[in-house]
Amino acid sequence: MKLLPALLLSTLAAVSPLAAADSYDIVVYGGSSGGITAAIQAARMGKTAVLIEPTKFLGGLTTGGLGATDIGNKKAIGGMSREFYANVFKYYSDAAKWKQQTREEYYAKKPHGNTGSEDTMWTFEPHAATEIYDAMLATVKDKVTVVFSERLDLKKGVVKKGSRIVKIVMESGREFEGPMFIDATYEGDLMAKAGVSYAVGREANAMYGETINGVQKVKTVHHQFIKNVDPYVKPGDPSSGVLPGIDPGDIGEDETGDRKLQAYNFRMCTTDVPENRRDWEKPANYDEKWFELALRNVEAGDARISWAPSWMPNRKTDTNNNFAVSTDFIGQNFDYPDADYATRAKIWQAHEDWQKGLMWTYAYHPRVPEQIRAAFQKLGLAKDEFADNGHWPRQMYVREARRMIGGYVMSEKNCKRREIVEDSVGMGAYNMDSHNVQRYITKEGFVRNEGDIQIGTRPYPISYRSITPKAGECTNLLVPVCLSASHIAYGSIRMEPVFMVMGQSAATAAVIAIDSGKDLQQIDLAKLKEKLLADGQMLDFESPPMPEHVSITKEKLGGIVVDDMEAELTGFSSIGHTTPGFVGEGYRHDSDSLKGEQKARFTPNLPAAGQYRVAITYTALANRAESVPVIIHHADGEEKVIVNQKKKAPEKDVLIPLGTFRFEKGKTGWLEIRNEATTGHVIIDAAQWLPAK
């Protein structure tokens, strides 16, 4: 009899129905940042864990390009999550890790909130995150088994007995069993297949007593078109059809719910170092009609650079979406959460094709102005990142997919600290942040984005009941990533440091449940809290409720007012809402960084020639810059005025007068705020031209 090779025998055994399931104390499905901390915490508490990752790499977005950590108040981050960022600090304390610049050169620009004076660092290269996670996992290698390239079988992947999961089954036939399970994926497949209730899309405001959920046509002012752009294939002719990516129909009334999602993209790691830069290439399947909207937008005069590169160490970036037509593939992900793997792969590939095609378009298309082409040619994919994937990020930014409907649904009220939970397992602190959801046609016949909402929060506790299903649905599953929250609350929670916090807390609860022989919904919450605090988790700290700021309208100011959302920006991508006294939906600032590289030009459309009093608005605080240069370009030349933004406006006013100047009719005059030679945050909000009497 001919013997079969040992490798083939092992493969047959793996798929044989007679093969025993792999057994662990805790089964973690999803090697995201939250999955990694869950597995490590289980091991640190003396349990065995398996970390099952459907792809070939760990870390999700943290290792997949998102190196500019978003969190808001960093005091809210504790436990193993903070340990990770302390490890980033240690990693970059080694001079050998700095290849393209020195540590001192990098910190001189105070990138993304880093000051260089703490024991944590919040920006990093993708490969650095991988090395750090690998080192953390190596310390528990005797208790954590990492399994790559195993996907849950979407038809028979979850076997339950009553309210408990007995085992999960992979597409390969491999099975994993244990007393506790954790779904740490961005999609929530294990949760869904376990029969746990979940939501997809946006709730109506009325469902949870919110104000910024559901359709938001009126409040969507960020990442918006500032020029009128025609949406039709043949400009001005509705019968010719609409350009790709624009909804031709009724998108619903404000505050109503839908099953639509905020947009996905890839967080690109780019560099301006020529020898390490891969220039943008035109995709083989490039279809120009998909980029016609971008071309018409720049031809209409939108000169803003439509991306947001945040600088990481070694002259690299974490590059995100910015402005009207950018890396977000708006409206093309609605089917993703509940889709099968093949459909998801098509959606994933479409996003990749879009983003690569857009980069080439902005960098090389002859219809794009030279200034924009030069900006996109300056940066290209870093050759020393993602070498196994053509230097392209391995993880798509799934900003939200399914969201569990658990024992407690976090909402806008929690994010504003108007409702505070007592069973905290960690904190959120970022803005309530939804990217645009869709594009539609206004009644005037122009294209407009809808769905981008960015509203401030106070640091707030997240409920244990929000990472556990209802007891009647499943009693041995925790969900630290697709947790229980409304769309707009999830927009604040969905940050990688928070997922790390939630993953650690989920594993802690799982171990307590195993040791006590109780269901997750019945464990001793006092014991859970005691252990979380002992492990350095931040569960809450005193913070006043978020005030209901009533913004100042342009109409109330009078005259001709240009808001920051209508300005031509170079930089100034950080948005604020927390300090009252601003015009419109918020204000922008330079993050006290990239000095001399950021500016904002406000151009009014004046109805007549004549003398105008020019004034600006900003929110004054002690951390503002004292010597902000403001250039006024008028009919008789230019005037430079230095503004102290620590100084408040006169009593009962928000306007800071700059002087009276003569202007011609139309758009020949402008005002420009710069951040050169400044120390402190430079704020831009609005500029006013008031006819002089």
Side-chain angles (χ1 to χ4, degrees), residues 110-234:
K110 299 180 182 178
H112 205 74
N114 283 290
T115 63
S117 60
E118 303 173 351
D119 60 354
T120 52
M121 185 170 173
W122 305 88
T123 53
F124 47 87
E125 301 158 276
H127 76 268
T130 294
E131 290 181 33
I132 291 165
Y133 275 144
D134 286 349
M136 292 174 71
L137 283 164
T139 65
V140 292
K141 61 182 179 181
D142 292 340
K143 288 190 175 295
V144 174
T145 300
V146 180
V147 176
F148 290 101
S149 302
E150 288 284 0
R151 282 192 316 201
L152 188 70
D153 189 312
L154 294 182
K155 293 183 179 179
K156 55 182 179 180
V158 179
V159 178
K160 291 180 72 178
K161 184 176 182 180
S163 64
R164 298 183 67 85
I165 301 172
V166 176
K167 64 181 177 181
I168 60 175
V169 183
M170 304 295 108
E171 286 184 312
S172 67
R174 190 172 178 181
E175 300 178 350
F176 297 90
E177 65 180 14
M180 288 290 151
F181 293 81
I182 295 175
D183 185 342
T185 63
Y186 293 115
E187 294 84 6
D189 286 339
L190 174 54
M191 169 192 73
K193 298 308 171 185
V196 173
S197 300
Y198 63 88
V200 175
R202 301 180 286 187
E203 297 89 352
N205 270 333
M207 179 173 287
Y208 297 118
E210 297 177 305
T211 65
I212 50 175
N213 209 338
V215 178
Q216 297 290 336
K217 288 181 284 191
V218 173
K219 292 182 179 178
T220 299
V221 296
H222 304 293
H223 304 294
Q224 193 57 268
F225 294 89
I226 62 172
K227 308 286 184 179
N228 290 333
V229 178
D230 192 290
Y232 301 111
V233 173
K234 183 178 179 181

Side-chain angles (χ1 to χ4, degrees), residues 611-662:
Q611 295 285 326
Y612 287 84
R613 190 194 79 154
V614 180
I616 60 172
T617 68
Y618 56 81
T619 55
L621 279 180
N623 69 347
R624 306 316 197 211
E626 291 182 314
S627 55
V628 178
V630 182
I631 312 300
I632 301 103
H633 181 81
H634 50 83
D636 300 314
E638 287 187 358
E639 186 84 11
K640 182 177 182 180
V641 179
I642 301 298
V643 176
N644 179 1
Q645 292 196 339
K646 285 182 166 64
K647 181 180 178 181
K648 293 184 178 181
E651 190 72 20
K652 297 181 180 180
D653 197 0
V654 296
L655 292 162
I656 305 295
L658 304 178
T660 300
F661 308 93
R662 187 173 67 87

Side-chain angles (χ1 to χ4, degrees), residues 195-464:
V196 173
S197 300
Y198 63 88
V200 175
R202 301 180 286 187
E203 297 89 352
N205 270 333
M207 179 173 287
Y208 297 118
E210 297 177 305
T211 65
I212 50 175
N213 209 338
V215 178
Q216 297 290 336
K217 288 181 284 191
V218 173
K219 292 182 179 178
T220 299
V221 296
H222 304 293
H223 304 294
Q224 193 57 268
F225 294 89
I226 62 172
K227 308 286 184 179
N228 290 333
V229 178
D230 192 290
Y232 301 111
V233 173
K234 183 178 179 181
D237 182 5
S239 67
S240 66
V242 299
L243 295 175
I246 302 173
D247 191 321
D250 181 5
I251 65 168
E253 295 300 317
D254 272 12
E255 303 192 10
T256 60
D258 56 28
R259 284 183 58 84
K260 299 175 181 178
L261 302 165
Q262 58 176 309
Y264 301 167
N265 71 344
F266 291 87
R267 299 290 285 254
M268 299 177 297
C269 182
T270 70
T271 182
D272 63 354
V273 178
E275 58 269 25
N276 193 35
R277 182 184 67 212
R278 177 176 175 176
D279 293 337
W280 305 112
E281 300 170 8
K282 188 176 184 179
N285 62 348
Y286 182 83
D287 185 350
E288 187 166 305
K289 68 175 179 290
W290 273 100
F291 308 103
E292 179 64 24
L293 186 62
L295 294 170
R296 290 185 188 179
N297 186 49
V298 297
E299 288 176 333
D302 190 345
R304 300 174 298 177
I305 308 302
S306 294
W307 61 1
S310 296
W311 287 99
M312 303 298 104
N314 288 310
R315 300 299 306 175
K316 295 178 190 171
T317 75
D318 166 1
T319 296
N320 196 12
N321 181 82
N322 205 14
F323 303 135
V325 186
S326 188
T327 59
D328 281 357
F329 198 22
I330 296 173
Q332 307 307 307
N333 59 346
F334 300 159
D335 294 333
Y336 184 85
D338 283 324
D340 58 25
Y341 294 133
T343 303
R344 283 185 188 163
K346 291 178 181 178
I347 294 171
W348 186 299
Q349 188 61 54
H351 279 71
E352 184 173 332
D353 291 343
W354 156 264
Q355 198 160 328
K356 288 179 176 178
L358 186 70
M359 295 302 97
W360 181 88
T361 299
Y362 279 141
Y364 297 111
H365 201 288
R367 288 169 60 186
V368 174
E370 172 60 29
Q371 174 192 358
I372 297 176
R373 280 186 279 136
F376 277 86
Q377 290 174 26
K378 181 180 179 181
L379 293 169
L381 296 175
K383 293 180 181 179
D384 60 349
E385 299 288 352
F386 312 123
D388 58 346
N389 197 44
H391 315 294
W392 188 256
R394 297 169 298 199
Q395 176 65 56
M396 184 167 68
Y397 195 171
V398 178
R399 289 191 170 92
E400 66 176 288
R402 298 181 177 108
R403 301 186 310 280
M404 180 171 65
I405 303 175
Y408 183 87
V409 179
M410 299 291 293
S411 74
E412 176 185 331
K413 291 180 285 188
N414 298 105
C415 297
K416 291 183 174 182
R417 289 189 73 92
R418 289 194 168 78
E419 190 169 293
I420 302 173
V421 299
E422 299 294 330
D423 57 344
S424 173
V425 285
M427 297 185 73
Y430 197 68
N431 293 340
M432 287 176 281
D433 178 4
S434 171
H435 282 232
N436 276 309
V437 172
Q438 58 193 332
R439 291 193 170 108
Y440 69 101
I441 301 173
T442 67
K443 61 181 180 180
E444 293 82 15
F446 301 111
V447 63
R448 184 173 171 81
N449 293 335
E450 184 276 324
D452 193 291
I453 297 294
Q454 299 172 37
I455 302 295
T457 66
R458 288 283 190 257
Y460 58 91
I462 300 170
S463 173
Y464 172 63

Side-chain angles (χ1 to χ4, degrees), residues 391-551:
H391 315 294
W392 188 256
R394 297 169 298 199
Q395 176 65 56
M396 184 167 68
Y397 195 171
V398 178
R399 289 191 170 92
E400 66 176 288
R402 298 181 177 108
R403 301 186 310 280
M404 180 171 65
I405 303 175
Y408 183 87
V409 179
M410 299 291 293
S411 74
E412 176 185 331
K413 291 180 285 188
N414 298 105
C415 297
K416 291 183 174 182
R417 289 189 73 92
R418 289 194 168 78
E419 190 169 293
I420 302 173
V421 299
E422 299 294 330
D423 57 344
S424 173
V425 285
M427 297 185 73
Y430 197 68
N431 293 340
M432 287 176 281
D433 178 4
S434 171
H435 282 232
N436 276 309
V437 172
Q438 58 193 332
R439 291 193 170 108
Y440 69 101
I441 301 173
T442 67
K443 61 181 180 180
E444 293 82 15
F446 301 111
V447 63
R448 184 173 171 81
N449 293 335
E450 184 276 324
D452 193 291
I453 297 294
Q454 299 172 37
I455 302 295
T457 66
R458 288 283 190 257
Y460 58 91
I462 300 170
S463 173
Y464 172 63
R465 290 163 291 160
S466 293
I467 64 171
T468 49
K470 297 171 184 175
E473 294 181 343
C474 195
T475 54
N476 66 335
L477 172 68
L478 294 120
V479 186
V481 176
C482 292
L483 54 76
S484 182
S486 71
H487 157 73
I488 198 63
Y490 193 79
S492 170
I493 294 169
R494 61 172 180 82
M495 303 300 152
E496 292 290 293
V498 179
F499 290 154
M500 284 189 250
V501 169
M502 293 296 111
Q504 181 180 1
S505 294
T508 304
V511 173
I512 291 174
I514 292 171
D515 290 346
S516 65
K518 294 183 177 181
D519 292 341
L520 286 166
Q521 293 83 359
Q522 298 175 339
I523 66 170
D524 186 338
L525 293 181
K527 183 177 289 187
L528 174 62
K529 179 178 180 179
E530 180 183 6
K531 178 57 177 171
L532 295 178
L533 291 174
D535 288 336
Q537 292 278 49
M538 180 62 71
L539 301 184
D540 198 9
F541 55 85
E542 193 65 31
S543 181
M546 191 73 184
E548 288 291 354
H549 293 322
V550 178
S551 65

